[in-house]
């Protein structure tokens, strides 16, 4: 199962734009039609959600 499926649409979009497409906070906010603070909050929530899924892989040195 893909971890992106486990994220809400708005959280996934933030992760995709900010990390994968390498957009700035301002560019991500503009693309989503929200404030930069909303993007920061969504990125924080997405990282919190993904942490338990990725932590075991990180500890094994696979990523």
């Amino acid at each position: 199962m893909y971890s992106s499926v486990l994220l809400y649409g708005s959280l996934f979009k933030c992760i995709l734009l900010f990390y994968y497409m390498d957009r700035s906070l301002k560019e991500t906010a503009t693309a989503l039609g929200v404030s930069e603070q909303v993007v920061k909050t969504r990125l924080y929530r997405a990282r919190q959600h993904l942490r338990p899924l990725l932590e075991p892989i990180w500890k094994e040195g696979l990523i």
Side-chain angles (χ1 to χ4, degrees), residues 9-32:
S10 60
L11 300 182
F12 177 71
K13 289 176 188 175
C14 277
I15 291 285
L16 180 68
L17 289 168
F18 188 74
Y19 290 109
Y20 184 73
M21 298 183 75
D22 201 28
R23 306 288 182 186
S24 68
L25 282 173
K26 186 175 184 172
E27 291 170 329
T28 302
T30 300
L32 296 174

Side-chain angles (χ1 to χ4, degrees), residues 8-57:
Y8 295 105
S10 60
L11 300 182
F12 177 71
K13 289 176 188 175
C14 277
I15 291 285
L16 180 68
L17 289 168
F18 188 74
Y19 290 109
Y20 184 73
M21 298 183 75
D22 201 28
R23 306 288 182 186
S24 68
L25 282 173
K26 186 175 184 172
E27 291 170 329
T28 302
T30 300
L32 296 174
V34 297
S35 70
E36 289 182 42
Q37 186 58 47
V38 169
V39 171
K40 289 179 184 179
T41 300
R42 288 179 183 175
L43 288 171
Y44 172 80
R45 289 178 182 167
R47 287 190 301 264
Q48 292 298 105
H49 186 76
L50 292 172
R51 180 170 283 132
L53 300 172
L54 298 176
E55 194 168 21
I57 298 169

